[in-house]
Amino acid sequence: MKVVLEHGAPFMLAPGGAQVQIEQTRAALTQLGVAVEPLRWWDASQTGDVLHHFGKFPAYLQRVAQHKGMKVVMSAYLGGLGARPAWMRRMQRLAFKIARPVAPLTLRDLFGWDSYRIVDALLAQTPYEASLLVQIHGAPKERVHVLPNGVEEVFLRSIPGTRGKWLVCTANIIGMKRVLELAQMAVRAQTPVWIIGRPHSAAADYFKRFTDYARQNSALVRYEGGIAERERLAQIYREARGFVLLSEYESLSISALESAACGCPLFLSDLPWAREAFKDKAWYCPVNESIPAAAVRLRRFYDAAPDLPLPPRPLSWLDVGQQLKTLYERL
């Protein structure tokens, strides 16, 4: 069995959680003895038994792959849809229900309406996202599987340390992650926060505003860029007072899982992915709450963090790889 992995966005242009997920999935499958390689778009002679696409895969390409005898697996990213208000999701579901049955194939392909319906297996990271795939996108329930992200062994095997004064946030420095807003909350709440990450572009206005604000408030906002060394990052999680991620939407944050593996208290956006993953073992903040009101919550979390219960232990990437291998073989 040969598995071919594909992702629409080049890592050099959009680094982040998807890159970690794909790289760690490939490493785990290789360790389990699965022949796996990335899709070589320039290689017409490349073959495979399973094509696993991360993100939304165009339906017309699915049909081509299936006609060539390949099984198609798709890992869906539904963070944006999952964060929408319930009334918007109902309207989208109603629109699909009315338009899809009468739309010609060319129109359905243009809008990707069949992408979730004809795939051989569809992976959601939480039960909530699985329900969205079935109820809104019309995916066949029997083809939908829940498979969360994993974490690397370096986090699962990290040694407990003495927790210090810094809250930590690991995220790309982009507007969706709301790191500037977090910095503003921290200054208002007088809670020191260490933000670790890189921008997609150093010329982006949001990044410039964030770095200017961090420089002006360096006593409470620490920013030194990204940290690539995984051992160092695990140590930071182990020594942090708590982990904070207040992004507008996520599917299932790998950073939050990594910090959970290191026993770090969690303060997260109040969104379904977080509630399903961590339940009552995390503190939550509404995404649309004002900075002054959110700062009050942040201060309360900061004060309570040393006595909070540990978050649940996540899966390893090897655990995830084993479940994927079983699914591939069944297909």
Side-chain angles (χ1 to χ4, degrees), residues 199-217:
H200 287 173
S201 169
D205 178 67
Y206 187 88
F207 179 66
K208 291 180 179 178
R209 289 192 288 123
F210 165 73
T211 52
D212 287 345
Y213 189 83
R215 192 163 38 248
Q216 294 163 9
N217 297 276

Side-chain angles (χ1 to χ4, degrees), residues 262-279:
C262 295
C264 195
L266 305 176
F267 186 57
L268 307 170
S269 297
D270 194 355
L271 292 171
W273 73 266
R275 290 280 185 180
E276 284 198 336
F278 301 108
K279 300 180 173 59

Side-chain angles (χ1 to χ4, degrees), residues 48-99:
D49 302 295
V50 177
L51 177 58
H52 186 162
H53 185 90
F54 293 80
K56 190 175 183 179
F57 195 30
Y60 72 92
L61 288 178
Q62 289 188 45
R63 296 188 190 98
V64 173
Q66 289 166 337
H67 288 163
K68 287 181 174 289
M70 301 180 74
K71 297 297 184 180
V72 179
V73 177
M74 187 164 68
S75 288
Y77 297 145
L78 299 179
L81 174 60
R84 290 176 189 168
W87 69 268
M88 291 184 67
R89 296 197 303 271
R90 286 194 295 269
M91 291 296 294
Q92 184 170 348
R93 180 183 181 184
L94 180 62
F96 284 171
K97 186 176 181 179
I98 294 173

Side-chain angles (χ1 to χ4, degrees), residues 194-244:
W194 183 1
I195 295 174
I196 300 169
R198 297 185 177 91
H200 287 173
S201 169
D205 178 67
Y206 187 88
F207 179 66
K208 291 180 179 178
R209 289 192 288 123
F210 165 73
T211 52
D212 287 345
Y213 189 83
R215 192 163 38 248
Q216 294 163 9
N217 297 276
S218 57
L220 288 168
V221 181
R222 181 178 179 181
Y223 179 67
E224 303 162 4
I227 294 177
E229 299 81 10
R230 311 305 279 169
E231 293 81 2
R232 173 64 179 140
L233 193 55
Q235 180 184 3
I236 290 170
Y237 288 142
R238 279 294 186 182
E239 297 176 355
R241 189 177 180 94
F243 174 84
V244 184

